[in-house]
Amino acid sequence: MRIIRNLLPLAIGAALLAPAATSLELDPAQTKVEFTLGATLHTVHGSFQFKRGDLRFDPATGQAGGELVVDTASGATGNDSRDANMHKNILESSRYPEIVFRPDRVEGKVAAEGASKLQLHGTFRIHGADHEMTVPVDVEAAGSKYTATARFQVPYVKWGMKNASTFILRVSDKVDLTVRTVLTIPAPGSPVKPTGQT
């Protein structure tokens, strides 16, 4: 019994000192989702509108949660006929209105100030199917604000979508995505979901 009494304060102290799960909110107004598609005549550039997102992770275990959601129908390249083909025949935007990334693990440590490099593992859902993915992320921390840039490739044809090539224009079967965003720690008193839940 004496051993239990002696160990109890140590256990409580360890629990209080353990790193708490960190919750971060993404600002849609400061989030850019851009894509590049290689082609024979010229490279196609475009963008999507970010809808909403949050990220939660436990620095002690690397466990993560939350979701990042993009509006599929917002995809635009600046060419109306090309965009119409993209939405009708490739992305099928009316049928699959959202592109979603749900993180489950963070590899690497976030520096309190300055630059960090992370690997964000999770599930990327596009065109109605889930795909396991690890995304490299560069993070720049300044106070309670984190500027993050993620660059990764989506093999859209391998994942079941039609190739965007036409009779005249031949394009790559993979598209490069770049996501730039600003994450902030919510104000005290804001509701925080448990890590691992969406």
Side-chain angles (χ1 to χ4, degrees):
M1 192 69 178
R2 181 179 297 176
I3 294 175
I4 294 175
R5 284 199 302 268
N6 290 338
L7 290 177
L8 188 58
L10 294 176
I12 294 173
L16 292 174
L17 292 173
T22 300
S23 178
L24 299 170
E25 293 179 347
L26 280 74
D27 182 357
Q30 298 186 72
T31 301
K32 292 184 178 180
V33 182
E34 300 171 325
F35 65 89
T36 303
L37 183 65
T40 51
L41 300 178
H42 67 281
T43 300
V44 176
H45 298 277
S47 63
F48 289 96
Q49 292 295 316
F50 184 78
K51 290 182 69 173
R52 64 184 183 277
D54 67 292
L55 173 64
R56 300 178 300 283
F57 71 97
D58 187 332
T61 65
Q63 183 183 9
E67 66 176 13
L68 316 177
V69 183
V70 168
D71 179 8
T72 310
S74 69
T77 66
N79 181 299
D80 291 342
S81 62
R82 181 170 57 208
D83 292 348
N85 178 62
M86 174 177 67
H87 289 296
K88 180 181 179 181
N89 299 315
I90 301 168
L91 293 174
E92 297 185 79
S93 303
S94 60
R95 186 177 179 187
Y96 308 109
E98 293 182 341
I99 300 169
V100 183
F101 181 69
R102 293 187 174 94
D104 57 34
R105 186 173 71 253
V106 176
E107 298 174 1
K109 299 294 182 181
V110 179
E113 292 288 332
S116 305
K117 289 186 178 294
L118 307 175
Q119 297 286 325
L120 189 60
H121 180 274
T123 301
F124 189 83
R125 184 169 184 81
I126 186 171
H127 203 250
D130 291 335
H131 306 275
E132 185 178 357
M133 176 178 282
T134 299
V135 178
V137 184
D138 294 321
V139 179
E140 188 71 29
S144 61
K145 181 183 292 185
Y146 301 85
T147 301
T149 302
R151 296 180 177 88
F152 56 100
Q153 195 171 71
V154 172
Y156 70 98
V157 174
K158 181 180 178 181
W159 286 358
M161 286 167 273
K162 294 180 180 178
N163 193 297
S165 297
T166 63
F167 178 73
I168 298 174
L169 181 67
R170 306 303 298 175
V171 303
S172 173
D173 60 356
K174 302 177 182 67
V175 61
D176 295 308
L177 270 76
T178 300
V179 180
R180 297 181 179 88
T181 189
V182 174
L183 303 96
T184 55
I185 298 175
S190 299
V192 178
K193 300 175 185 177
T195 304
Q197 293 186 12
T198 56

